[in-house]
Amino acid sequence: MFKIVDKQTVGPNLTQYEIQATRIAQARKPGQFVMVRPNEKSERIPLTVARTDPQAGTITLIVQAVGKTTLQMSQMNQGDSFADVAGPMGQPSHIEKFGTVVVVGGGLGTAVVLPQAIALKEAGNKIISIIGARNKELVILEKQLGQVSDELIVTTDDGSYGNKGFVTDALGELINASDKNVDAVYCAGPVIMMKAVSEVTRPKEIFTVVSLNPIMVDGTGMCGGCRVTIGGETKFACVDGPEFDGHQVDYDELMDRLTTYKNFEQRMLDAYQKTHKCKLQR
Ligand SMILES: Cc1cc2nc3c(=O)[nH]c(=O)nc-3n(C[C@H](O)[C@H](O)[C@H](O)COP(=O)(O)OP(=O)(O)OC[C@H]3O[C@@H](n4cnc5c(N)ncnc54)[C@H](O)[C@@H]3O)c2cc1C
Ligand code: FES
């Protein structure tokens, strides 16, 4: 059992958990994730390890309640325990000294790029971060990302905070600015956003890393659920990724595969909400 030692609400439907998981805290590297089962009857779901404290033996997860399992998690409190937390899973992020790196986090993807930004800064890079969200309420981890960034840009779709527009607008301006030389881009967020970011960096052949979020079942390369096509080859995101060269990803296939279980997921959520009388802000 994995005890929740702290639980904080950090945004609408967004919860940050500190979990006692000593061996994972000591072994995990940036870019890796864990498979979590909140209780013995739940589904197993993949979640990025946003931070660790190896001395305290804790890991931090930032979770958006979008469906049955994440909603089940959000009903659990400090002192409760998750049935399983397995990991660390996946390949660690590719970290080297590039020069100037732009990290782009869209929505919850900001939790994924935060550990990458920390590791890239420690490797001696200049970090420019771009956080994008639909509106001000949904901007997360601005302070934490600001602390490791030489420059931080926030964009909101509706202009309620920061620059009005998409992360790709801000990224395009940076890439085309005569006084900036962007050597690499790391990006996580909705698939459509990662696809757009990769198109912005493609003409100048800027090294672009995206963190993919296909459906994962076992997380160990056995089931094939997380199959993605990279440069025409089949890869399993759980063991070969989740990070890949953004210019090689077949995003349309990934978007198509992510919708496969939509009706089933909605039915499970409706049934859970009916019996547990809890609401999700959609
Ligand atoms: C490597 C990786 C890291 C992730 N990190 C985070 C994170 O740090 N925080 C966070 O909030 N979310 C993260 N996710 C997404 C998270 O796993 C899903 O939101 C979660 O599984 C939804 O489950 P549900 O039962 O609540 O919702 P459901 O209603 O079952 O599904 C809602 C949507 O979530 C996705 N999803 C559902 N089941 C899975 C699954 N088994 N594996 C992957 N995606 C699924 C699908 O797009 C689906 O349409 C990550 C996904 C991957 C692949
Ligand atoms: S989740 Fe089963 S092979 Fe990747």
Side-chain angles (χ1 to χ4, degrees), residues 8-277:
Q8 305 281 341
T9 301
V10 290
N13 297 325
L14 200 62
T15 310
Q16 177 173 300
Y17 304 87
E18 302 285 331
I19 310 294
Q20 194 70 47
T22 307
R23 289 168 67 184
I24 299 174
Q26 287 162 357
R28 164 271 184 191
K29 295 195 169 62
Q32 291 186 300
F33 63 95
V34 285
M35 295 297 289
V36 176
R37 214 161 48 122
N39 66 54
E40 277 153 22
K41 292 191 175 157
S42 316
E43 258 185 351
R44 216 176 267 114
I45 61 165
L47 298 167
T48 303
V49 182
R51 277 191 301 270
T52 57
D53 182 341
Q55 280 180 343
T58 55
I59 62 171
T60 304
L61 307 175
I62 299 172
V63 185
Q64 190 166 36
V66 292
K68 182 182 167 187
T69 312
T70 45
L71 198 55
Q72 270 176 342
M73 286 179 74
S74 72
Q75 309 287 306
M76 297 174 73
N77 293 311
Q78 188 174 337
D80 293 341
S81 294
F82 294 146
D84 298 318
V85 179
M89 306 267 185
Q91 299 296 324
S93 298
H94 172 92
I95 303 296
E96 65 171 78
K97 184 168 180 185
F98 295 100
T100 299
V101 181
V102 180
V103 298
V104 185
L108 195 67
T110 309
V112 177
V113 294
L114 176 63
Q116 295 172 331
I118 294 169
L120 287 160
K121 181 74 180 171
E122 283 171 2
N125 292 287
K126 177 181 175 185
I127 306 294
I128 304 177
S129 298
I130 306 175
I131 304 178
R134 287 203 307 278
N135 57 50
K136 185 179 179 186
E137 262 204 319
L138 299 174
V139 174
I140 59 166
L141 300 172
E142 181 183 358
K143 188 171 149 224
Q144 292 87 335
L145 203 53
Q147 281 165 354
V148 294
S149 305
D150 297 272
E151 201 179 320
L152 176 78
I153 301 164
V154 180
T155 66
T156 50
D157 299 0
D158 64 358
S160 53
Y161 188 58
N163 301 350
K164 186 176 190 316
F166 296 134
V167 291
T168 39
D169 301 328
L171 179 63
E173 279 174 29
L174 278 178
I175 286 175
N176 293 318
S178 52
D179 59 335
K180 298 260 181 0
N181 194 20
V182 176
D183 299 294
V185 172
Y186 280 64
C187 168
V191 180
I192 191 77
M193 186 200 94
M194 295 190 282
K195 180 180 182 186
V197 162
S198 301
E199 288 315 313
V200 171
T201 58
R202 194 189 296 277
K204 290 198 173 171
E205 296 181 359
I206 297 169
F207 180 70
T208 301
V209 176
V210 294
S211 188
L212 300 186
N213 57 344
I215 293 197
M216 293 186 179
V217 181
D218 62 335
T220 63
M222 304 283 281
C223 70
C226 66
R227 196 176 76 236
V228 288
T229 303
I230 312 292
E233 279 182 40
T234 296
K235 300 278 180 191
F236 291 165
C238 66
V239 287
D240 300 319
E243 290 170 21
F244 293 101
D245 177 346
H247 298 151
Q248 301 292 323
V249 176
D250 184 338
Y251 293 102
D252 295 336
E253 178 194 60
L254 176 57
M255 283 189 273
D256 188 43
R257 283 177 61 78
L258 277 170
T259 59
T260 308
Y261 302 106
K262 276 275 179 248
N263 291 341
F264 183 69
E265 287 160 358
Q266 189 59 50
R267 281 208 307 276
M268 296 297 284
L269 178 62
D270 291 344
Y272 182 76
Q273 285 180 313
K274 222 176 196 169
T275 47
H276 290 78
K277 296 194 169 46

